[in-house]
Amino acid sequence: MASGDIDVAYVAKLARLALTPAEVERFGAQLGALLDHVAVLERLPVADVAATAQVIPQTNVMRDDVPRPSLDRETVLQAAPKREGAYFRVPRIIGEDA
Amino acid sequence: MNLDATAVAIAAAVNARDVSAVEVATAMHARIAERDGAVGAYLATTGELALAHAQLVDARVKAGERLPLAGVPLALKDNMCVAGTPTTCASKILAGWVAPYTATAVQRLLDAGALPLGKTNLDEFAMGSSCENSALGKTANPWDLGRVPGGSSGGSVAAVAAGEATVALGSDTGGSIREPAAFCGVVGFKPTYGRVSRYGLIAFASSLDQIGPIAHTVEDAALVYELMAGRDPMDATTVDRPVEAVSNALREDLAGVRIGIVREFGLGELEPAVRDVYERAYADLERLGAELVEVALPTADFGIATYYLIAPAECSSNLARFDGMRYGLRVEAADVGATYEATRAAGFGDEVKRRILIGTYALSSGYYDAYYVRAQKARTLIAADFAKAFSACDAIACPAAASPAFAFDAKTDPVSMYLMDYYTIPMSLAGLPSLSVPCGYVTPPGAAGPLPLGLELSGPLFAERALLGFAHAYERATRHAELQSIPALPGPVGAR
Amino acid sequence: MSLSIGGVPYEVVMGIECHVELKTATKMFCGCRNVFGAEPNTNVCPVCLGLPGALPVPNRLAIELVVKAGLAFGAEIPAFSKFDRKNYFYPDMPKDYQISQFDTPLTQGGVVPFRLDDGTEGSCRLTRIHLEEDTGKSSHAGSRDGRIAGSTHSLVDFNRAGVPLMECVSEPDIRTAAEAVAYLETLKRTFVALGVSDVKMEEGSLRCDVNLSLRPVGATEYGTKTEIKNMNSFRSVARAIESEIARQAGILAAGGRIVQETRGWDEAAGDTHPMRSKEQAHDYRYFPDPDLTPIEFAPTEVTRMRESLGVLPHARLERFIARDGLSVVQAQQLADNHALAVFYEAAAERSGKPQATVNFLLGDLSRLANETGTPVASSGFSPDALAELVALTDSGTINSKTAKDLIERVWRDGGSPREIVAAEGLGQVSDSSAIDALVHEILAANEKTVADFRAGKTKVMGFLVGQVMKQSRGKANPQVAEERLRAVLEGAEPASQVRG
């Protein structure tokens, strides 16, 4: 498998990571090498094997509908990169999705 | 006061009021000031917080309470939230972020009297095997300052090894407690997945991460473990099983114990000096009464491929929240989309970016079945191999790492770094309890002195009590940790 | 409704996706309060803010409410269900993934029955109902009208982030705007009756998207569909549907093609406009959430939940129509108000006269409820009292004026109408001879009016009846009074048509 197999620029967009062209090339080569290694998995007979869904199988772990204290708003907003009064301020959104 | 005493001894002294927690905190902070310039274990110390806790501990002891970890200096890997302290994951994207809450596991230790001395260095977001991926500091191996302490819990391990903390907490996803513990000659323990709460541990790979103790002795590690472990209503993956008392049930021999030696982990490929140490370790196990049994893990060789698909996939999702909107670094651009991209580009280091990319790819449309699902199926096979092996033995012994600590910048190729986790990853994938205990030294050409090696012992699910008992017996009989000391550390350069 | 394009009969095919906020005290994965209208960013915690290190733990009640909602419509509850992560970036998404359910929803299938106002029965199949968490709320600053386009920045409130959200997806069985509204009304009255949700579109606890396409009648393939969003009431759903049908029909009639897109309804303008989005379709990279355990139901659990549903609103509605002969509109009014329906059932059972009972209930009593701001069930009226009132009026024991007075009194002070009438002698006087005496009195005192009547102004009868009523202090039986008045006034003439 060559590095051409992973379209780094496309994946970076999905992951919201800006990459320079040099990075696209460098990561492409490095991840290609990893995928070469990962190819060994094709040798495993997994046709009838169930994918591990949980390491320690448990079911029905839930909580009761009982309130717990919330965080103090000032503490929360002080950590915000930008705030406007009681709100988090974020840059303008283009389109329905960002 | 002996600042190098064990946690058990310090707690006893503080509870007996022979020494106060405040004295311990002050003395240990002085030592950190003296030594950490050279070692770089800490990203930040928590002077006031530690003293406040120490005063509280002293007051409680005075009022008649006996606290299991009274006054014990505790270092915390900086991927664990402690309310009021900066918690950075050694990343620029979280530089300066102050956590508003405390991780459950940490809180339990603080409630037991431990003193939080500071936050230790790590590979950024726990991704790495050398601590070189930290964006905020460099940590050196106290045994040879030109070498790495291992990773990702390099700072926690170095702090304990350098006597800058009595015990520490690290996190282990594919070996991040065990491998550095081996490199730095201390005990490092990863409990069964689900034993210790992950609430407040900044997630790398959700189905693999576990918090675990780092200490000089198995007994100390066991004590910290049993105080942290147990179901947490804030973490749905914690198991509802009683935590057996371990620290007071440690055995002194291995009579009747079957130790599995993994056929696929043959020692033949190791450097001769390293191989000797492990052969001697296996012989020591036998001398203690253990029966060595060969077991097979045919899928062991698939561990790294499996891990480097599952862990990045989960992390690509877990790290999406670092987007510059609600906390942490923001590199503001023309619109939200551009801001995400610029922020994450500036905030994450190369290894984190690589893992996000490969993880996103493994989950993406068209590749999900071939990569992520297939890896989870391989994981099932690996777990099944272990289950079968444990029908023939009570614990598995193997090297924790194939070599001692390597020099800085020795491994520039990512995949060669990934191979450092060869012996630790399979146990992580299966969720098994696993630890590293010092088992000897080698002095490679060019090394500053002897470099530690670690013996990895792993047990079946939930077998902490037995496993820690075996490790304790080995440790007591061989006393490797006592045979060598770290070289003298250079004092602080200039004013500190 | 019939749609014809280019002479070819077309039909409208619609499916509806509803997001319903559940009525729980706390959020889906954390203990922050689930309340509408709180000060911004005050009901937040590490979990629902997506802070580093936080973990989700699911709300048991939310899960039960979704299962109940499904059971109410005959859905199947699979034994195994899990949560998945839906990965995408947006500023109101605290984790930049939403915990949702991809391929193992809590309920599958089911049928939503409904009746149109004219009584026509219909139904729409459900595909699935699943559980997920809501996002925060953004407001867009700097634009003329608060929309995203033209805004300079946005402000985000995370109070809503993490609120449990039920997504109900229907099959494309809906054919008209009226059916769409009837479907939504059935959902609403059912969810309200079960306590699953308040279902208030104006508060955002119900949001719905309509997928709409046109195709020739008899075609098996679907036409290109558009998705319509941003309706804030059932009325605007109907208007938006009509608007979109007209728009698509217009395009097809002109020989054009429908573009698959999402369109936002603009209430003020009365039409839809395309919502801009990135060209790439989302790759959500769904995978099972490793922080959560699956949910498995034992059959006994499902049975218990099914048995706890009680009588469902639609079954009740059908009973009102079929058994009691109520009109569809009356039946819907009752079915929409659980307390009122319960009141009605009790009163009608005792009175044995459903139509009379419902008339009082939806008439005078509901009017009083509106005026006083007090629900019927909290007033002085009990179902027994209503049943007595029905009996008293039906038997002619009291007249309508007395009935009205009684209603006001009992509403205010409670008590038994039958006892009051007996104690105060409020029974109407129907005895002819007693009434005749009054009639002669009134006629004697109103000679001019009598002359007007005989001259052809028959409408003055009302005045004369009123005078008899007044003279009897309201107790005269008005029908008998009118009969006797006529008999005397017209007695001198042969029986003839009353003119006018």
Side-chain angles (χ1 to χ4, degrees):
Chain A
M1 291 161 101
S3 65
D5 279 338
I6 171 170
D7 183 348
V8 174
Y10 172 71
V11 174
K13 268 277 176 235
L14 278 183
R16 298 298 187 274
L17 273 177
L19 297 180
T20 64
E23 282 172 325
V24 171
E25 202 182 310
R26 180 159 55 87
F27 289 149
Q30 289 169 332
L31 295 176
L34 175 59
L35 287 174
D36 284 346
H37 181 90
V38 158
V40 299
L41 292 180
E42 287 165 26
R43 284 199 265 125
L44 279 177
V46 296
D48 295 319
V49 179
T52 294
Q54 299 173 275
V55 186
I56 307 293
Q58 296 189 92
T59 60
N60 297 343
V61 178
M62 298 179 279
R63 41 171 268 275
D64 293 331
D65 188 34
V66 169
R68 280 179 51 99
S70 293
L71 283 175
D72 165 61
R73 177 165 69 188
E74 269 317 294
T75 308
V76 164
L77 287 175
Q78 263 164 37
K82 271 205 182 150
R83 67 181 283 192
E84 192 170 293
Y87 296 89
F88 289 86
R89 178 180 162 137
V90 303
R92 70 189 179 120
I93 303 165
I94 296 192
E96 189 195 340
D97 39 273
Chain B
M1 173 188 63
N2 178 11
L3 213 47
D4 294 309
T6 62
V8 171
I10 291 177
V14 171
N15 279 319
R17 305 180 71 192
D18 294 339
V19 68
S20 74
V22 170
E23 285 174 271
V24 176
T26 311
M28 193 57 94
H29 269 130
R31 201 187 246 194
I32 293 172
E34 219 177 80
R35 299 184 182 187
D36 208 49
V39 175
Y42 286 91
L43 288 173
T45 50
T46 53
E48 279 175 29
L49 186 66
L51 275 176
H53 264 277
Q55 281 159 357
L56 199 60
V57 168
D58 286 333
R60 289 171 71 185
V61 167
K62 186 169 173 193
E65 282 188 75
R66 291 292 160 266
L67 302 172
L69 286 177
V72 173
L74 170 70
L76 298 165
K77 185 173 182 180
D78 203 22
N79 62 355
M80 298 179 200
C81 292
V82 177
T85 72
T87 303
T88 66
C89 294
S91 177
K92 289 191 236 165
I93 216 169
L94 271 184
W97 180 68
V98 175
Y101 72 108
T102 299
T104 300
V106 174
Q107 189 60 51
R108 289 179 180 178
L109 297 183
L110 298 184
D111 290 343
L115 307 179
L117 296 181
K119 310 301 277 313
T120 58
N121 200 16
L122 60 152
D123 282 298
E124 187 181 0
F125 283 106
M127 301 181 199
S129 309
S130 66
C131 218
E132 291 173 291
N133 291 333
S134 170
L136 300 184
K138 176 172 168 174
T139 304
N141 190 321
W143 292 85
D144 179 339
L145 298 176
R147 290 175 186 254
V148 303
S152 60
S153 307
S156 278
V157 164
V160 172
E164 298 178 47
T166 307
V167 295
L169 288 186
S171 70
D172 191 310
T173 306
S176 289
I177 288 177
R178 292 161 285 161
E179 185 245 31
F183 280 5
C184 291
V186 295
V187 174
F189 173 46
K190 181 200 86 69
T192 306
Y193 182 84
R195 276 289 203 189
V196 178
S197 171
R198 292 181 299 115
Y199 184 73
L201 170 70
I202 297 175
F204 159 20
S206 315
S207 73
L208 293 155
D209 293 342
Q210 273 293 276
I211 291 178
I214 292 155
H216 283 290
T217 65
V218 172
E219 188 180 21
D220 277 359
L223 178 61
V224 172
Y225 157 74
E226 73 192 25
L227 290 168
M228 285 197 296
R231 179 25 63 112
D232 180 14
M234 302 299 286
D235 175 354
T237 59
T238 51
V239 292
D240 195 9
R241 280 176 85 108
V243 179
E244 305 157 301
V246 181
S247 55
N248 63 0
L250 298 169
R251 55 191 300 161
E252 305 286 338
D253 68 81
L254 298 174
V257 176
R258 298 164 302 164
I259 299 283
I261 304 296
V262 179
R263 183 184 65 194
E264 287 75 11
F265 293 167
L267 301 179
E269 293 177 13
L270 303 178
E271 289 279 318
V274 172
R275 182 176 66 228
D276 285 347
V277 167
Y278 286 110
E279 281 176 351
R280 202 172 326 124
Y282 295 165
D284 283 338
L285 294 170
E286 267 185 312
R287 249 196 294 282
L288 279 165
E291 180 200 340
L292 301 188
V293 175
E294 189 188 75
V295 295
L297 291 178
T299 51
D301 277 347
F302 299 95
I304 288 179
T306 303
Y307 176 85
Y308 280 100
L309 285 178
I310 294 175
E314 292 180 359
C315 100
S316 71
S317 182
N318 287 329
L319 267 63
R321 67 188 64 196
F322 300 104
D323 60 6
M325 296 296 125
R326 284 151 291 117
Y327 47 82
L329 177 74
R330 176 189 292 187
V331 176
E332 186 114 11
D335 56 69
V336 160
T339 302
Y340 287 145
E341 296 188 352
T343 299
R344 290 157 67 77
F348 290 139
D350 279 359
E351 185 59 35
V352 172
K353 286 178 182 166
R354 272 191 289 268
R355 298 202 193 190
I356 289 175
L357 289 170
I358 199 74
T360 305
Y361 180 63
L363 291 174
S364 65
S365 175
Y367 296 99
Y368 176 73
D369 286 321
Y371 287 121
Y372 182 76
V373 175
R374 179 170 276 267
Q376 292 285 26
K377 293 185 171 192
R379 186 176 192 174
T380 304
L381 291 176
I382 292 171
D385 272 3
F386 274 109
K388 188 153 170 237
F390 285 124
S391 66
C393 69
D394 305 304
I396 285 171
C398 66
S403 66
F406 45 89
F408 286 109
D409 299 319
K411 298 194 188 289
T412 49
D413 162 43
V415 178
S416 73
M417 186 69 82
Y418 299 159
L419 292 170
M420 292 312 304
D421 294 328
Y422 177 75
Y423 295 109
T424 50
I425 273 175
M427 296 71 176
S428 299
L429 288 168
L432 304 173
S434 182
L435 58 85
S436 175
V437 60
C439 69
Y441 303 84
V442 290
T443 309
L451 300 175
L453 292 172
L455 178 69
E456 185 182 359
L457 293 171
S458 311
L461 295 172
F462 305 114
E464 283 79 8
R465 184 180 218 186
L467 184 64
L468 288 162
F470 304 156
H472 176 81
Y474 174 81
E475 175 195 81
R476 296 280 84 222
T478 57
R479 300 180 181 263
H480 284 291
E482 296 166 39
L483 296 177
Q484 302 282 358
S485 301
I486 58 171
L489 292 168
V493 177
R496 205 177 148 72
Chain C
M1 91 179 237
S2 59
L3 183 63
S4 178
I5 301 176
V8 177
Y10 267 70
E11 64 176 357
V12 183
V13 176
M14 287 181 279
I16 298 184
E17 243 175 61
C18 288
H19 285 90
V20 180
E21 286 182 355
L22 299 181
K23 195 171 167 178
T24 54
T26 63
K27 293 186 179 185
M28 184 62 219
F29 293 110
C30 68
C32 288
R33 286 178 196 276
N34 173 10
V35 285
F36 178 77
E39 280 295 300
N41 290 307
T42 51
N43 290 325
V44 294
C45 76
V47 178
C48 58
L49 274 177
L51 296 192
L55 292 173
V57 183
N59 183 329
R60 176 181 295 112
L61 178 62
I63 291 168
E64 283 184 6
L65 292 178
V66 172
V67 171
K68 278 188 167 177
L71 288 174
F73 296 117
E76 186 202 311
I77 312 300
F80 172 90
S81 180
K82 65 171 167 42
F83 291 103
D84 303 294
R85 293 191 186 181
K86 180 179 183 180
N87 297 280
Y88 68 101
F89 287 81
Y90 204 73
D92 63 11
M93 297 263 294
K95 299 183 291 297
D96 291 304
Y97 63 84
Q98 180 194 34
I99 301 178
S100 177
Q101 297 189 292
F102 178 51
D103 56 348
T104 58
L106 278 171
T107 89
Q108 285 179 352
V111 178
V112 178
F114 52 78
R115 274 199 190 247
L116 303 184
D117 285 351
D118 66 8
T120 314
E121 288 183 69
S123 68
C124 177
R125 293 166 300 161
L126 283 174
T127 312
R128 54 187 266 161
I129 304 180
H130 76 250
L131 184 51
E132 57 186 31
E133 52 178 350
D134 209 344
T135 64
K137 209 152 150 40
S138 333
S139 52
H140 310 295
S143 69
R144 212 176 5 98
D145 48 7
R147 294 221 291 253
I148 288 181
S151 64
T152 54
H153 59 278
S154 297
L155 303 175
V156 191
D157 170 16
F158 289 99
N159 279 351
R160 193 183 72 180
V163 164
L165 209 56
M166 180 170 67
E167 182 173 329
C168 305
V169 181
S170 87
E171 294 286 329
D173 292 348
I174 299 195
R175 296 283 171 271
T176 67
E179 287 187 5
V181 171
Y183 168 81
L184 291 172
E185 284 179 345
T186 302
L187 288 188
K188 173 168 179 158
R189 73 173 65 98
T190 306
F191 294 157
V192 168
L194 289 177
V196 164
S197 172
D198 287 335
V199 195
K200 289 188 180 163
M201 279 187 91
E202 66 278 15
E203 284 183 6
S205 53
L206 167 70
R207 310 191 294 260
C208 69
D209 306 333
V210 177
N211 290 304
L212 190 157
S213 63
L214 304 184
R215 69 179 175 189
V217 172
T220 47
E221 281 190 10
Y222 293 115
T224 305
K225 67 177 180 196
T226 57
E227 184 187 25
I228 310 168
K229 286 167 135 32
N230 206 36
M231 288 86 63
N232 61 10
S233 69
F234 290 172
R235 245 185 72 76
S236 56
V237 168
R239 291 179 65 209
I241 288 173
E242 300 290 5
S243 160
E244 182 61 8
I245 291 173
R247 189 191 73 90
Q248 287 197 14
I251 292 173
L252 293 176
R257 285 163 30 110
I258 308 298
V259 172
Q260 179 165 339
E261 61 188 349
T262 302
R263 299 182 69 87
W265 169 249
D266 184 332
E267 187 72 34
D271 64 13
T272 59
H273 58 269
M275 294 172 83
R276 288 178 59 193
S277 69
K278 287 234 158 92
E279 305 87 62
Q280 310 157 321
H282 282 295
D283 180 355
Y284 292 120
R285 305 186 294 289
Y286 284 101
F287 69 102
D289 195 324
D291 291 329
L292 297 167
T293 69
I295 308 296
E296 289 188 350
F297 293 105
T300 47
E301 267 301 288
V302 176
T303 305
R304 180 189 64 79
M305 286 192 273
R306 191 181 284 115
E307 281 166 9
S308 76
L309 294 177
V311 178
L312 292 169
H314 194 77
R316 198 171 250 139
L317 186 139
E318 290 300 312
R319 204 161 62 186
F320 295 157
I321 296 171
R323 177 196 68 183
D324 297 349
L326 303 191
S327 74
V328 172
V329 172
Q330 287 175 328
Q332 281 174 343
Q333 277 182 274
L334 289 177
D336 280 340
N337 184 329
H338 182 74
L340 207 61
V342 169
F343 193 99
Y344 161 76
E345 297 238 29
E349 194 192 10
R350 284 184 193 84
S351 74
K353 305 240 178 273
Q355 193 60 60
T357 306
V358 83
N359 287 342
F360 273 120
L361 189 58
L362 294 179
D364 290 307
L365 292 180
S366 288
R367 177 184 51 80
L368 277 169
N370 283 337
E371 284 171 13
T372 63
T374 307
V376 172
S378 307
S379 72
F381 250 95
S382 67
D384 278 346
L386 179 54
E388 285 180 14
L389 185 69
V390 167
L392 291 167
T393 48
D394 191 71
S395 64
T397 306
I398 58 175
N399 61 32
S400 53
K401 173 146 188 3
T402 309
K404 281 202 162 18
D405 292 339
L406 258 180
I407 286 172
E408 303 264 349
R409 274 176 69 174
V410 174
W411 178 276
R412 211 180 42 234
D413 306 326
S416 152
R418 194 168 31 81
E419 285 169 19
I420 295 173
V421 165
E424 299 180 18
L426 299 179
Q428 70 179 343
V429 175
S430 305
D431 169 55
S432 304
S433 54
I435 296 217
D436 280 349
L438 289 169
V439 163
H440 282 106
E441 236 184 278
I442 295 304
L443 289 180
N446 289 280
E447 285 180 10
K448 179 168 186 322
T449 314
V450 170
D452 287 342
F453 182 86
R454 288 199 170 126
K457 279 195 187 166
T458 53
K459 282 186 178 166
V460 300
M461 175 56 73
F463 168 74
L464 292 170
V465 171
Q467 289 297 96
V468 171
M469 297 298 298
K470 190 167 153 198
Q471 193 65 8
S472 72
R473 288 192 306 285
K475 287 209 264 180
N477 180 327
Q479 284 83 22
V480 175
E482 181 167 337
E483 266 173 46
R484 300 310 302 151
L485 281 165
R486 276 192 200 284
V488 172
L489 288 171
E490 295 165 3
E493 299 171 34
S496 61
Q497 308 273 348
V498 175
R499 274 178 299 140

